[in-house]
Amino acid sequence: MVHLSTIPTNDEVEKLANGVKKVHLQLANDDDSFTTSVYGSKFAAQDLPRHEMPEGEMPKEVAYRMIKDELSLDGNPILNLASFVTTYMEEEAEKLMAESFSKNFIDYEEYPQSADIQNRCVSMIGRLFSAPVGPGETIGAVGTSCVGSSEAIMLAVLAMKKRWKNKRMAEGKPCDRPNIVMSSAVQVCWEKATRYFEIEEKLVYCTEDRYVVDPEETVNLVDENTIGIALILGTTYTGEYEDVKAVNDLLTKKGLNTPIHVDAASGGFVAPFVVPDLEWDFRLDNVVSINVSGHKYGLVYPGVGWVVWRSAEYLPQELVFNINYLGADQASFTLNFSKGASQVIGQYYQLIRLGKKGYRAIMSNLTRTADYLSDSLEALGFIIMSKKSGEGLPLVAFRLPPDEDRKYDEFALAHALRVRGWVVPAYTMAPHTNQMKMLRVVVREDFTKNRCDALINDIKSSQKLLQEMDRDSIKKQQDFIHKHHTAGGKATHNHPKYRVRSCAAASSPPRV
C-alpha cells in the first residue's frame, strides 16, 4: 500500500547516501559559454550580484531573463489602487517613447523637434487652464515640463519666494521670515519645498468632518510675510477640490493681492473635462501659477509634470539661466538638467491622439465607475468620505462605521485584500482629525467596471473572513502579512538612522 512505508536499515541508508554522492559527481560543471538555454547556464545556479559589480560578463539573453525573473516578484500595477500614476498606454505611445530613450531633452540644438513638442504641450495645457495669451515680455503665460509635479511645485515656490523677497527689499523691509499658507493635507512635496527653501508653514488643519481648507480661515492666516497660498485641486486623502474661487474672492474683498498657486497635480486633467464651469484656474485674478502631473490623469507613464505661470512677471528673471554650451542659446528653469525626452513625447501623443473629446470620454467613465464603487461600498455599510458626480477626483475614500464590537479595523481589511492581490491603502487622516482611519481606491483608466465588481466581491469576502476571526488571530494575520507580503515589512535597505520607528509614522497615505 502506498501510504505505508518500511523503515530502512542502516545498510540501506548508507546505500542511499552513496547513490546521492554519485549523482552529484555526475553534475555538469563546465565553464559554459552559454550554448544551452538560459536555465541550463552556470548563471542560473548562481546568486545574482547584489553589492559589487561582477568581474566577468554574462550574455545579454541571460542578463535580461534573470532581471525579468526578479521583477516578476513585483506586484501587478493594474491591482495597485493606491497610486494615481498611469499604468496603461497604447502600444503606439510606448513605441514612440521607446524610440526616444536616447534623446537628452535638454539638448535643444541636437533635438529641436523634441523641444518644440514640449512647447506645444505647454501651450495646450496653458490654454486648457484658461491662461492669458498675447505678445510682449510681461503678457502671456509661460511654462515648462518637469520631472513630475514635485519639481513643478518646487519651481513655483521658488518663484513666489523670490518675487516676494524682491518686493520686500525694494520697500526696505526684512525678508528673512517668509511663510506660505496651505492645508495640512498637502502632498509631501510641499513639506519638502518649505523645509528645503526655509519657508514657514502656516497650516489650515482639517477636521473630522472637513477635509479641505476653510476659505475664511485660510485668508485670515495671510500676513505681510506670506509669499502665497497653496490650494489643492484634488487632495491626496479624499480627492476633494478645494474652493479656489472662494479664497480668491475673499482676497479681492479684503484688498489683498496674495498670489495663489493651484496644485492641480491630479485634478488638472480631470476638472476641465468633467466640470468645465468650475472656476479654479487662470480665470481667477489671484491664481498666478498651476502645476499638473502628466503621469497621473494626464495618462502618461511616470514621470512628467508641468508648471504654468500666468505671465512672465510671476517668474523672476534671476531664476532663469541662459546657457549656450550645448550649441544654442537657451533659457532654463529647472532643478535638474539632463532628462529623457520620452515622457514629454508621450504627453504630446496623448494630447493629440485623444483630444478634448477623448479625455472627456475617459474622465467621464472614471467618474461613473467611482460613483458606482462609492454607491456599492455605501450599500455595504461603509462611510464615504469622498465626493461624487465630478465634485472631486474619480476616487473613493471610505471608512468603517463606528462599532465597538467589531474585531477588525481598516488596516486589517487592507491586509486581507493584499492577500487577494489588491493594494488598497489604509492610513490615518491628516492631523487634527482624531487619528481617523480610512481606505482609498484610486480609479484609473484601466480600472474597468468588471474589475470594480471583482474588488467589491473581494471586499465582501474579506469582511466575512475577518468577522469569523477573533482579535488575536486577526493581529497574527496582520503581522504575518505585513512581514511577508508587503515590501515595507521586508525592507532592509534603509539606513538605520532614517527608518520609520513606529506604525503611526508609517501610516500616511502613499502620495504618488
Side-chain angles (χ1 to χ4, degrees):
M1 296 177 65
V2 295
H3 295 297
L4 295 176
S5 176
T6 59
I7 299 175
T9 65
N10 289 338
D11 290 341
E12 290 173 325
V13 171
E14 187 67 22
K15 184 186 291 185
L16 177 63
N18 289 332
V20 172
K21 290 179 182 177
K22 290 179 181 178
V23 171
H24 277 286
L25 290 174
Q26 295 171 14
L27 289 178
N29 194 29
D30 299 327
D31 186 12
D32 66 77
S33 57
F34 184 52
T35 57
T36 180
S37 73
V38 170
Y39 299 111
S41 70
K42 64 179 182 180
F43 303 101
Q46 298 174 354
D47 289 334
L48 279 179
R50 293 179 180 273
H51 304 295
E52 186 175 351
M53 184 186 298
E55 189 65 34
E57 56 191 346
M58 69 171 64
K60 61 181 183 296
E61 299 89 349
V62 176
Y64 169 79
R65 192 70 222 184
M66 294 294 101
I67 296 174
K68 183 178 177 68
D69 287 351
E70 286 271 299
L71 294 174
S72 70
L73 299 175
D74 274 345
N76 185 344
I78 291 175
L79 300 181
N80 180 8
L81 305 181
S83 177
F84 289 92
V85 174
T86 295
T87 52
Y88 165 78
M89 290 185 76
E90 292 174 330
E91 184 179 337
E92 291 77 9
E94 292 179 343
K95 186 178 179 182
L96 268 177
M97 294 172 73
E99 290 169 352
S100 303
F101 283 160
S102 61
K103 292 184 179 181
N104 183 7
F105 174 76
I106 201 67
D107 194 344
Y108 296 170
E109 179 66 16
E110 186 68 20
Y111 309 115
Q113 289 307 117
S114 297
D116 189 56
I117 282 175
Q118 181 217 234
N119 297 340
R120 298 176 199 176
C121 290
V122 168
S123 178
M124 291 179 185
I125 292 169
R127 290 172 185 270
L128 186 66
F129 298 162
S130 306
V133 295
E137 291 187 0
T138 60
I139 303 173
V142 59
T144 185
S145 63
C146 306
V147 183
S149 274
S150 292
E151 184 187 11
I153 285 169
M154 297 280 185
L155 297 178
V157 170
L158 275 175
M160 285 192 292
K161 180 182 178 182
K162 175 60 72 173
R163 191 164 176 267
W164 168 85
K165 184 177 181 179
N166 289 345
K167 182 174 181 293
R168 297 282 291 179
M169 291 176 67
E171 295 172 348
K173 297 178 180 178
C175 54
D176 58 335
R177 296 186 61 189
N179 68 64
I180 189 167
V181 179
M182 58 188 186
S183 167
S184 63
V186 290
Q187 211 265 8
V188 69
C189 64
W190 282 99
E191 300 172 43
K192 287 183 179 180
T194 56
R195 194 178 303 178
Y196 293 170
F197 303 146
E198 298 181 324
I199 300 169
E200 178 191 354
E201 298 175 1
K202 300 189 78 171
L203 298 177
V204 181
Y205 287 99
C206 300
T207 67
E208 291 184 55
D209 55 5
R210 175 177 54 76
Y211 314 128
V212 292
V213 297
D214 173 72
E216 189 76 40
E217 184 180 347
T218 300
V219 175
N220 287 341
L221 287 175
V222 172
D223 60 28
E224 62 179 4
N225 291 319
T226 300
I227 67 170
I229 297 173
L231 297 173
I232 315 169
L233 194 75
T235 66
T236 296
Y237 289 91
T238 65
E240 189 174 348
Y241 298 150
E242 295 193 317
D243 196 341
V244 184
K245 187 176 189 309
V247 174
N248 178 86
D249 292 349
L250 279 172
L251 289 172
T252 301
K253 182 179 179 181
K254 295 189 175 187
L256 300 172
N257 60 356
T258 308
I260 295 173
H261 175 87
V262 179
D263 180 357
S266 300
F269 277 111
V270 179
F273 303 109
V274 178
V275 282
D277 294 333
L278 180 68
E279 294 184 53
W280 60 272
D281 52 19
F282 292 119
R283 285 171 287 183
L284 304 175
D285 292 338
N286 288 86
V287 173
V288 302
S289 51
I290 300 172
N291 71 276
V292 65
S293 290
H295 62 229
K296 293 182 180 176
Y297 290 110
L299 308 180
V300 182
Y301 291 143
V304 60
W306 305 89
V307 59
V308 182
W309 287 269
R310 172 182 288 276
S311 70
E313 76 173 283
Y314 297 102
L315 177 53
Q317 177 66 45
E318 58 264 44
L319 293 178
V320 178
F321 289 81
N322 295 95
I323 58 173
N324 65 2
Y325 49 77
L326 285 178
D329 291 324
Q330 54 182 284
S332 174
F333 182 37
T334 59
L335 294 181
N336 70 305
F337 196 62
S338 294
K339 69 176 178 180
S342 297
Q343 273 67 30
V344 169
I345 292 169
Q347 183 73 81
Y348 185 60
Y349 173 90
Q350 294 290 50
L351 292 175
I352 68 170
R353 157 74 176 94
L354 296 172
K356 293 180 180 179
K357 182 180 179 181
Y359 270 94
R360 189 176 299 113
I362 290 171
M363 299 310 156
S364 296
N365 271 348
L366 298 187
T367 301
R368 293 188 189 100
T369 302
D371 287 353
Y372 170 73
L373 176 59
S374 182
D375 291 340
S376 301
L377 291 173
E378 194 169 27
L380 290 176
F382 288 97
I383 296 173
I384 305 301
M385 304 169 65
S386 48
K387 298 291 185 180
K388 297 198 300 184
S389 303
E391 292 185 38
L393 298 176
L395 66 76
V396 182
F398 57 105
R399 59 188 175 93
L400 291 162
D403 185 354
E404 293 182 0
D405 296 327
R406 188 177 52 247
K407 304 166 190 174
Y408 66 94
D409 63 3
E410 287 81 355
F411 287 88
L413 180 55
H415 281 117
L417 288 170
R418 184 62 180 259
V419 175
R420 297 170 184 266
W422 300 102
V423 180
V424 177
Y427 48 89
T428 51
M429 185 57 188
H432 293 207
T433 55
N434 196 27
Q435 292 293 301
M436 183 189 299
K437 299 174 184 178
M438 59 185 295
L439 299 119
R440 187 196 67 195
V441 171
V442 177
V443 178
R444 297 192 307 273
E445 182 182 7
D446 53 3
F447 188 71
T448 61
K449 183 177 181 296
N450 185 59
R451 192 167 293 142
C452 182
D453 285 332
L455 173 65
I456 293 167
N457 286 331
D458 279 344
I459 289 175
K460 290 163 65 176
S461 299
S462 297
Q463 282 190 285
K464 183 178 179 182
L465 173 65
L466 291 168
Q467 287 165 0
E468 295 171 353
M469 297 171 65
D470 57 60
R471 284 187 171 86
D472 288 342
S473 297
I474 291 173
K475 178 66 166 60
K476 289 178 182 177
Q477 183 197 49
Q478 278 188 268
D479 291 343
F480 180 84
I481 294 171
H482 178 67
K483 185 175 181 180
H484 298 286
H485 287 265
T486 64
K490 294 182 287 187
T492 58
H493 59 276
N494 289 336
H495 190 285
K497 180 179 178 181
Y498 307 113
R499 286 180 190 156
V500 175
R501 304 204 192 297
S502 69
C503 293
S507 62
S508 58
R511 301 179 172 194
V512 292

